[in-house]
Amino acid sequence: MRELPQGLTPPRNGDAFETDHHLSRRAVLSGAGALALLSAAGCSTSGGGLPALDLDNVTTGSIPIRPSISVDKNITSPGVMYAAMTDGGFNVPEVPYLKVKSEFRRQIVVDTTGEAPGTIVVHLQERMLYLVQPGGDAIRYGVGIGKDGFRWSGRANIQYGREWPTWTPPPEMIARKPELVKWQAGQPGGLTNPLGARALYIYQDGKDTGYRIHGSPEWWSIGQAMSSGCVRLINQDIIDLYSRVSKKNPVVVV
């Protein structure tokens, strides 16, 4: 049943709506007026009739709808995300984010990994880390990765994490860089520690892979392949990521 136009009172017995004759006459007058306006505005017509209308015949149902992106209070402007902060008694310096490519800054994106929520996916070629979220999106962080010969890939899990972790260089690294012998018993956590503000330790089948997802004071290394195999993030980003993961998160490195 056709709805009545707003403001129109239903007819009482003996009353009638405006007839089709009156409606048709009004439509003709409106069309004539529109044609006159088009002519005055210089719009061309075809064969002296009404101008051809460029109508969009695509139905709404055929237009693909992009998944919605969630809102997160910790994903905001770069000036806020990468501002100086105090954490664990350390004054983490501001990151000059304008010198970091925009794609490597923390942001929410549509998830394309196909992995379950809670999974950490590191894409070595892209230099990106994705934390898969419920609802079809992911939080993406730019990362630095290992140089050729020092990369690892596969499926594993986060076994545990540490805040402002101690870094202990492996013997083979000390052999390559004898100056690191002073840290053979471990370098205490701090602003110059290579593991940065946080570290997530990757285990596979219950065994330590030796690879870590960690922070770094060297923000300029993000997007580069220059580490000894670990995945490094800006300190502000690893602090954010660390706050979102729990024990045993799956890790996929591809």
Side-chain angles (χ1 to χ4, degrees):
M1 180 176 180
R2 186 175 63 184
E3 294 183 358
L4 294 174
Q6 292 183 357
L8 186 61
T9 305
R12 298 185 301 272
N13 291 335
D15 291 341
F17 289 126
E18 189 175 16
T19 64
D20 291 341
H21 171 74
H22 291 143
L23 289 173
S24 299
R25 183 171 180 271
R26 180 181 298 170
V28 170
L29 291 175
S30 298
L35 180 58
L37 289 174
L38 289 170
S39 299
C43 296
S44 62
T45 60
S46 175
L50 291 173
L53 299 179
D54 185 14
L55 297 178
D56 184 359
N57 293 321
V58 178
T59 62
T60 303
S62 67
I63 299 175
I65 299 176
R66 186 175 184 270
S68 61
I69 295 297
S70 61
V71 176
D72 190 290
K73 63 183 179 62
N74 290 326
I75 312 289
T76 179
S77 68
V80 173
M81 292 189 296
Y82 299 114
M85 62 185 300
T86 300
D87 179 87
F90 296 100
N91 296 319
V92 181
E94 175 186 11
V95 173
Y97 66 87
L98 290 176
K99 296 182 179 180
V100 178
K101 289 183 178 181
S102 59
E103 60 265 33
F104 294 136
R105 302 173 197 159
R106 188 191 324 162
Q107 56 194 281
I108 300 178
V109 298
V110 173
D111 175 47
T112 58
T113 68
E115 299 290 341
T119 305
I120 296 171
V121 180
V122 179
H123 199 296
L124 297 174
Q125 186 175 2
E126 291 181 357
R127 314 288 204 264
M128 299 291 185
L129 182 150
Y130 299 84
L131 177 61
V132 181
Q133 301 292 290
D137 54 27
I139 302 175
R140 191 180 76 188
Y141 309 82
V143 300
I145 64 171
K147 56 189 174 183
D148 289 342
F150 291 92
R151 297 177 190 169
W152 174 86
S153 62
R155 287 182 174 267
N157 290 85
I158 298 299
Q159 186 75 7
Y160 60 91
R162 291 286 183 268
E163 299 184 13
W164 296 101
T166 297
W167 175 64
T168 303
E172 56 270 22
M173 181 178 289
I174 294 175
R176 294 194 307 270
K177 299 180 178 180
E179 67 273 16
L180 297 179
V181 69
K182 62 181 178 179
W183 302 125
Q184 63 182 351
Q187 180 181 356
L191 295 175
T192 60
N193 188 297
L195 293 181
R198 304 284 190 276
L200 298 168
Y201 295 77
I202 301 175
Y203 277 58
Q204 188 178 53
D205 299 325
K207 297 180 181 179
D208 188 356
T209 64
Y211 292 93
R212 317 285 184 244
I213 298 172
H214 64 84
S216 174
E218 299 175 340
W219 54 265
W220 57 88
S221 68
I222 302 305
Q224 306 296 318
M226 56 185 298
S227 74
S228 295
C230 294
V231 178
R232 57 171 63 187
L233 288 78
I234 294 172
N235 268 332
Q236 283 86 338
D237 281 347
I238 191 63
I239 290 172
D240 180 80
L241 175 63
Y242 188 93
S243 71
R244 299 175 187 274
V245 301
S246 59
K247 196 174 181 181
K248 307 296 185 180
N249 282 69
V251 177
V252 181
V253 180
V254 294

